[in-house]
Amino acid sequence: AGGASAVSLRGLSTNSTLVLFDGLRAAYYPLADDGQRNFVDLNTIPDDIVERIEVLRDGASSSYGADAIAGVVNVITKREFKGVAGRVEGGVSGGGYAGNQRFTLTVGTGDLAKQGFNVYLSGFYYHSQEVRNSDLPAPYNTSDQTSFGGPNNITNGGVNGTLNGFGIATDFYVRPYTNVGFTNGVQNGGAALGRYQKLNPTSACLSGRSITQNATQLAIAANASVPTGTICQEDNVYQYRIVSPQLERIGGSGRFTATVGENSEAYAEINFQQNTSSYSGSPATIRGNGPTGILSPRFSTSTAFNSTLAPGSGILALPIYICPRVTVGDCTATNGTLNPNNPFAAQGQIARILGRFPQKVFTSNRNRVYRAALGIKGTVFDDLDYSVDATAMHSDLEITRKGYVFIQHLLDVIKDGSYNFVNPTQNTAATLNYLTPTSVQNDASDLYQVQATLGKTIATLPGGPLAVAVGGSVYYEGVNSPSGNPDYNGPTQRYFLLNAFGTVGHRTVASAFGEIKAPIFDQLELGAAGRYDHYSSGQSNFSPKGTIIVRPFKQLTVRGTYSRGFRIPAFAEANALPTTGYVTQGISTIPAAFLRQYGAGCTTATPTGCPAYLTTYSIGETTLASPNLAPEKSRSFTGGIKFDPIRNVSFTVDYYNITKTGAITTPSIAPALAAYYAGTAIPAGYNVIADAVDVNNPTARPKIAFIESQLINANTIKSNGVDFGANVYHDFGKFKFTSSAEASLILELSTTFPDGTKETYVDTLGNFNLTAGSGTFRWKANWSNTVESGPVALTATVNYTAGYDYSAQDQNTGYRDHGLAPGYSGTGNRVKSYITTDLNASFDVKEQFTFYVNVINLFGRLPPLDAVTYGAYLYNPVQGGNGILGRQFRAGAKFKF
C-alpha cells in the first residue's frame, strides 16, 4: 500500500484501530495492506487545520462500531480560525540527502462569539526527496555483508551455487539445448549441450562487476550450468534498493461555521488532498517466480509459457529461426531466417536464456482524496442536546507502472527477433514500449455517513447530573480496486512480476447506540454504553461497555472498563482475488526420502549436492478470500490509576487486556506440505500445485510451486500490557520547566490455534502476520524535557525502543531460542535496543513570528543491525524509523497576524 500511512495500537494491526475525522468515519485507502488489511490513510487531513488528536486506548466498539477493538484515533479539525498564518520549513539529513520542504498558508475571518460566523481557507505543499540505500553509510548501502560476518552477496563466490547470483545479472546468458519440445518460445524438453555463456562475451558488464569461477567452484553440483567465462555481478542493494520514495503532497481545506438562533451552531467543511509517491526498482528478470494471476496457477500445466513467467510449464528459450509474429505456429527454415540473438542457431540448437533487462521499473501512486462534511448541533427545549452530522469522502488512486514486461509481448519479440538481446542498448523506443507497455491501474473507495445523537440530563445525583445519550448512524462504504494484472484472457496476457491481487465490494451499515453516565456521588461514577450494528452483507453485532471511576481522595483516581467489540471482515478478506506471498523453503525442512530422488548426494547435510532447482526453493502461499467469514469478536478490560501527589505533578499507570476470538487467518500449510512430500492425499481445504518438472531430473517428483488455502475464523489472539506516564511542571520565575515521560510495556502478544497450540511473540520478531516481521518490542518509551525563558523554548526528547531475540514462533522457531539468528559474527542472537535524542529550539519574535530549529537524532545513531527483518535492509523499520537517515536538521518560520 505504497504512499499511505496507518496507525496500529496494541500490536493488533491496522485493521483493529479505528481512525475518525471529527468523530465521523473515513474512506479506506483503496489498496489493502499486505493484500488483506483495509485501513484509513492518516495523510488524508492536512495537519495545519488539525486542532488536536484524541487517542482512546481501549475497546470502543460500543461507541463507534467495527474495527475499534484496540482503540480509536480521532483527528479533530479547527472549529474557528481568525487572521493569516503560515509556515515555511526545510530540512535535510547530515549526509546531504532526505531533503524536504513544506509551505502552508491559512486565512480566516469572522468571530463566532461576536459576529456569529467564521470562515477559513487553508492550503499546503510538501515535498520529500527519494532516499536510496546508496545514500546511506555501510553496511546499509551494499549487498556485501562480510563486514559483520555475512556473505558477499555481490560475487556469491560459488559457496551456495553461483547460479543464485548469476541469474540476477543485468546481462543476458544463454545455454545450448537440443531442439526438442520447443513451442512458441518455450522449451519443455531436450538435453543441455553445454554450460551457460554470456550472450555477448565481448561486451563489458553493465554493472561493471564480474567474476570467473575456478575449477573447484565449477565442480559443485549446484553450479552445473554456470559459465566457465565471465559472470556479470551486481550490488543489488546499492544499485536498486530504496529507503523511502519521493513524496509530494498538496491540498486545500475550507470551513464555514455559523451560529443558528441562540442555541445552535452549524458548519460545512471541504477537504482536498493529493498525495504522490514514486520510486524506481530492480529491472525485470528472466528467471524466478512470476505472478500468480487470478485464474492461474490453474493454468500452469496447460498453455505453454515460461515457468519463470508463471510456474508449471517450460523454460524460456530463443528459437533457431525467427519469422513475423503474425505467423501461425513455430518459425522454421521454410518461413523464417536464422535467429541473430541465438549464437547456437547455425548448429540447429535452441538457446535457453536468463538475465535482466537494462531498464529499471518505475512506480507512481497518485491518490486524490475529496471530503465534505456538514452538521448542526445545539440545544432545544432548554435541556435536550442534539447533533446531526453527514460526510462524504472519495479516494481516487491511480497507479502508474513502467518498465514491467508484458508476457505475450516478450514471446512476440522473441519470435520475430525485434528485441536485440545481444546489445540491449540498441533497441528502439518503439520496441521497448511494446515489450514494457505502461500499466495504469485506477482504484477507488467511498464513504458516506449520516449520524445523529440526542442527549439529556434526566436526574441529579449526589455526584452530579445523570446524563443519557442515544443516537443512530447509517453509512455506506465501498472499495473498487480491480486487479492491475488480470489473466482472464490467458496466462500470457499479463505482466511479469505484478501481483494480480484486487478486490471489489460495498456494504451499508445501520447502527443504533446509547450511553449513560451516572455520578453516584463525588467518589464514584458509573457508565454504560452499547451499540448494535447491522451490515447489508448479513453480519450483525451488539457491543456493550461498562465504566467505573473511583476517587477515594482528591489526589487519586482509579478507573476501569469492560467491553466487547468486533472487527468486520475487510473487503480484501471477503471479496478479494487470490493473493500470493512467497516463503523460503529451506532444504533442511524437506524430508530425506523426497530429496533422495534427486540423487544420492542430495541430502540436508550436503545441500551443495542438490540441484539449484531445490537450493533456490520458495513456495507461493496463495490466499483465497471467503464471503462466509464471521466478524472477529473481542473482549477487553482496562484498569488504571492517576495520582496527583502535589500540584503540577501527575503519574498514571494503565493496564489493558484484549482477547480476540475467531481471528481471521490462513490455515497452516504444514499439513499440505507433509502430505505432498509423503505422496499421500492432500487434506481438505488445501490445493497443492506442483512446479515445473526439473529438466535435469525429469523422473523426480517436482517441488511445490503453490499451496492454496482459504481464510477462516480460527485463532485466538491475546494482547495485554501496561502504560506508564509522568508529568511535572514548575514555574521558577525566570524560566518554566516541563517534564513528560511515557512508556509502554507489552506483557503478552500471542496466538492460540484451534488445536490448542500457542505462539507467543513478545521480545521476538513475530508475529509475521500481524507485524510483517518487524517484531514485538517489550518496551517503548520517550521522555521530553522543556525549558521556557521569555521568547525562547528548548526541548530535548529521548526515545527508546527495546531490542528483541532473533526468533519467531510463527516462523517455526522456539520461543526466544535464537532460531532465526543468521550466525554472523557481528549479529549475535539478539538485536540491540535503540535510543535516539531529538533537540528542538524555538524563538518568538514579538507575537507575529516564531523561528524554530529541530535536530532529529542529535547524536546520529543508526539503527541496530538486523539481518532478518524483511521490511527494510539490515535494520528494523519500526524500531529504527527515520533514524536510518542519521542526524537530520529542520528549520522553519511560522507567522500569524
Side-chain angles (χ1 to χ4, degrees):
S5 298
V7 62
S8 172
L9 298 175
R10 307 307 192 197
L12 293 180
S13 186
T14 56
N15 58 15
S16 291
T17 300
L18 179 63
V19 175
L20 304 173
F21 297 135
D22 291 322
L24 299 172
R25 285 186 171 256
Y28 292 127
Y29 189 71
L31 294 182
D33 179 25
D34 280 348
Q36 288 184 299
R37 295 177 286 273
N38 291 125
F39 65 94
V40 172
D41 182 11
L42 290 178
N43 297 320
T44 301
I45 297 294
D47 57 4
D48 274 68
I49 67 165
V50 173
E51 180 72 26
R52 66 187 186 279
I53 298 177
E54 297 177 349
V55 181
L56 180 61
R57 293 189 288 186
D58 61 12
S61 289
S62 62
S63 299
Y64 299 107
D67 308 336
I69 288 175
V72 176
V73 175
N74 190 10
V75 181
I76 309 296
T77 60
K78 296 181 187 295
R79 170 174 165 261
E80 180 180 19
F81 182 85
K82 294 176 286 186
V84 179
R87 173 168 40 153
V88 178
E89 179 184 282
V92 69
S93 74
Y97 47 86
N100 56 86
Q101 306 84 37
R102 183 192 303 268
F103 308 96
T104 70
L105 181 66
T106 304
V107 297
T109 185
D111 189 308
L112 273 172
K114 298 178 180 178
Q115 298 172 281
F117 80 96
N118 179 263
V119 59
Y120 67 79
L121 298 173
S122 180
F124 83 100
Y125 171 81
Y126 174 77
H127 175 265
S128 177
Q129 71 178 160
E130 177 183 270
V131 179
R132 308 191 67 83
N133 280 76
S134 57
D135 296 321
L136 304 179
Y140 307 99
N141 63 355
T142 177
S143 301
D144 183 356
Q145 300 179 4
T146 56
S147 64
F148 53 89
N152 183 344
N153 289 316
I154 302 172
T155 62
N156 212 336
V159 176
N160 297 313
T162 304
L163 191 61
N164 293 334
F166 158 49
I168 57 174
T170 313
D171 297 81
F172 291 108
Y173 293 80
V174 289
R175 188 182 191 187
Y177 265 79
T178 56
N179 185 24
V180 177
F182 181 84
T183 305
N184 294 330
V186 177
Q187 182 206 1
N188 294 287
L193 301 175
R195 292 175 177 266
Y196 277 99
Q197 67 182 48
K198 196 167 181 288
L199 179 56
N200 187 347
T202 63
S203 66
C205 293
L206 295 176
S207 65
R209 296 174 180 269
S210 66
I211 60 170
T212 301
Q213 301 294 285
N214 59 39
T216 301
Q217 292 167 331
L218 291 172
I220 298 174
N223 286 346
S225 61
V226 169
T228 55
T230 298
I231 301 176
C232 296
Q233 297 290 313
E234 289 184 307
D235 188 335
N236 292 303
V237 170
Y238 186 87
Q239 291 179 245
Y240 304 120
R241 188 145 186 165
I242 70 165
V243 178
S244 61
Q246 175 174 280
L247 298 174
E248 185 175 66
R249 296 178 182 141
I250 186 169
S253 301
R255 179 177 173 120
F256 175 76
T257 309
T259 57
V260 179
E262 294 183 357
N263 299 309
S264 296
E265 180 179 294
Y267 74 95
E269 181 178 313
I270 58 172
N271 310 105
F272 167 78
Q273 186 156 326
Q274 176 176 293
N275 301 325
T276 303
S277 67
S278 56
Y279 56 93
S280 59
S282 302
T285 306
I286 304 181
R287 197 174 80 102
N289 287 322
T292 307
I294 296 171
L295 301 178
S296 63
R298 296 173 182 83
F299 274 132
S300 62
T301 56
S302 57
T303 306
F305 59 100
N306 189 332
S307 68
T308 69
L309 305 177
S313 176
I315 302 295
L316 193 70
L318 302 176
I320 300 171
Y321 298 99
I322 59 172
C323 58
R325 71 183 61 157
V326 295
T327 303
V328 178
D330 292 328
C331 302
T332 64
T334 303
N335 62 12
T337 59
L338 284 176
N339 187 353
N341 286 312
N342 180 357
F344 319 117
Q347 289 77 44
Q349 301 163 358
I350 62 172
R352 286 194 179 180
I353 185 169
L354 54 77
R356 266 187 178 166
F357 294 91
Q359 296 80 19
K360 294 180 181 179
V361 299
F362 173 83
T363 300
S364 174
N365 293 337
R366 187 229 63 205
N367 190 33
R368 290 175 177 164
V369 177
Y370 309 85
R371 179 180 180 269
L374 55 88
I376 186 171
K377 64 180 180 180
T379 304
V380 294
F381 308 120
D382 295 329
D383 63 351
L384 182 63
D385 299 325
Y386 75 95
S387 68
V388 179
D389 298 276
T391 187
M393 185 171 172
H394 175 73
S395 183
D396 172 18
L397 175 64
E398 180 182 273
I399 306 172
T400 302
R401 301 181 178 98
K402 299 179 180 180
Y404 287 90
V405 173
F406 195 80
I407 295 175
Q408 184 59 57
H409 292 187
L410 174 60
L411 298 178
D412 290 344
V413 299
I414 287 175
K415 182 173 185 177
D416 66 10
S418 58
Y419 187 88
N420 188 337
F421 286 94
V422 177
N423 189 352
T425 62
Q426 297 300 308
N427 287 293
T428 65
T431 298
L432 295 177
N433 291 338
Y434 182 77
L435 178 65
T436 60
T438 298
S439 167
V440 179
Q441 177 181 344
N442 291 289
D443 299 332
S445 67
D446 294 278
L447 186 285
Y448 308 100
Q449 181 180 16
V450 177
Q451 181 172 281
T453 63
L454 294 172
K456 181 180 175 60
T457 298
I458 59 176
T460 300
L461 300 176
L466 175 64
V468 174
V470 296
S473 169
V474 176
Y475 66 90
Y476 165 92
E477 58 185 4
V479 171
N480 182 24
S481 181
S483 172
N485 194 27
D487 59 352
Y488 293 128
N489 297 318
T492 66
Q493 303 300 310
R494 56 181 175 148
Y495 288 88
F496 179 40
L497 292 179
L498 291 186
N499 202 313
F501 173 79
T503 181
V504 176
H506 62 87
R507 55 198 174 204
T508 302
V509 187
S511 309
F513 48 88
E515 184 175 0
I516 184 170
K517 291 185 177 181
I520 306 302
F521 42 83
D522 290 342
Q523 290 77 27
L524 177 64
E525 180 179 322
L526 301 177
R531 180 181 177 113
Y532 177 79
D533 296 271
H534 178 73
Y535 285 73
S536 59
S537 49
Q539 301 97 334
S540 60
N541 193 78
F542 176 71
S543 306
K545 182 175 183 177
T547 304
I548 182 172
I549 300 175
V550 180
R551 304 180 184 89
F553 50 91
K554 181 180 179 180
Q555 291 81 9
L556 181 65
T557 300
V558 181
R559 54 204 178 199
T561 67
Y562 177 87
S563 63
R564 291 189 174 274
F566 74 107
R567 184 183 75 80
I568 198 70
F571 291 114
E573 294 168 325
N575 304 306
L577 299 169
T579 183
T580 298
Y582 291 91
V583 294
T584 299
Q585 181 69 17
I587 280 188
S588 62
T589 65
I590 302 177
F594 188 88
L595 291 177
R596 276 196 294 270
Q597 63 180 332
Y598 289 93
C602 178
T603 68
T604 55
T606 58
T608 55
C610 299
Y613 174 81
L614 286 178
T615 59
T616 57
Y617 190 3
S618 64
I619 291 177
E621 292 190 27
T622 300
T623 301
L624 308 179
S626 173
N628 300 318
L629 291 170
E632 295 180 344
K633 300 295 182 70
S634 71
R635 184 274 302 144
S636 172
F637 65 83
T638 66
I641 60 172
K642 182 175 182 291
F643 181 49
D644 305 299
I646 58 176
R647 183 183 178 187
N648 296 329
V649 176
S650 177
F651 300 95
T652 59
V653 179
D654 291 281
Y655 171 78
Y656 65 90
N657 187 303
I658 304 170
T659 299
K660 184 193 290 189
T661 56
I664 297 170
T665 185
T666 55
S668 169
I669 66 172
L673 283 173
Y676 182 83
Y677 287 143
T680 59
I682 304 300
Y686 299 93
N687 182 30
V688 176
I689 299 97
D691 203 347
V693 172
D694 180 6
V695 294
N696 295 314
N697 298 272
T699 61
R701 189 172 191 187
K703 65 182 180 182
I704 298 173
F706 297 94
I707 297 180
E708 289 183 335
S709 61
Q710 195 169 44
L711 290 169
I712 57 175
N713 294 96
N715 298 341
T716 297
I717 298 175
K718 293 184 177 181
S719 175
N720 65 79
V722 184
D723 294 332
F724 304 90
N727 292 277
V728 177
Y729 171 79
H730 189 73
D731 188 343
F732 290 92
K734 292 185 178 182
F735 66 91
K736 301 174 183 177
F737 174 75
T738 303
S739 182
S740 177
E742 290 186 343
S744 293
L745 167 64
I746 295 183
L747 299 173
E748 179 181 11
L749 182 65
S750 66
T751 300
T752 302
F753 300 94
D755 63 0
T757 59
K758 181 178 180 178
E759 294 175 351
T760 187
Y761 313 113
V762 177
D763 197 41
T764 76
L765 268 169
N767 178 330
F768 273 64
N769 287 330
L770 290 179
T771 69
S774 57
T776 302
F777 315 105
R778 188 180 297 278
W779 281 100
K780 286 180 74 77
N782 62 77
W783 181 27
S784 295
N785 294 276
T786 300
V787 176
E788 298 175 78
S789 179
V792 179
L794 185 66
T795 300
T797 302
V798 178
N799 309 289
Y800 172 82
T801 304
Y804 46 89
D805 185 85
Y806 268 131
S807 61
Q809 287 194 290
D810 57 326
Q811 299 299 301
N812 301 314
T813 76
Y815 181 58
R816 298 198 301 176
D817 68 347
H818 330 310
L820 295 178
Y824 307 152
S825 59
T827 57
N829 293 324
R830 289 184 61 85
V831 173
K832 298 177 181 179
S833 60
Y834 188 43
I835 301 176
T836 61
T837 302
D838 303 330
L839 193 64
N840 308 314
S842 65
F843 314 87
D844 293 334
V845 181
K846 296 184 179 180
E847 296 182 356
Q848 288 80 26
F849 293 95
T850 299
F851 296 93
Y852 58 91
V853 177
N854 303 332
V855 184
I856 304 165
N857 195 359
L858 177 64
F859 301 107
R861 291 198 62 199
L862 295 174
L865 199 65
D866 182 342
V868 176
T869 296
Y870 64 84
Y873 180 68
L874 296 184
Y875 74 98
N876 188 316
V878 175
Q879 183 195 45
N882 283 334
I884 191 62
L885 304 178
R887 185 182 296 107
Q888 302 150 69
F889 303 92
R890 185 176 299 142
K894 296 180 181 180
F895 62 88
K896 183 174 183 180
F897 301 98

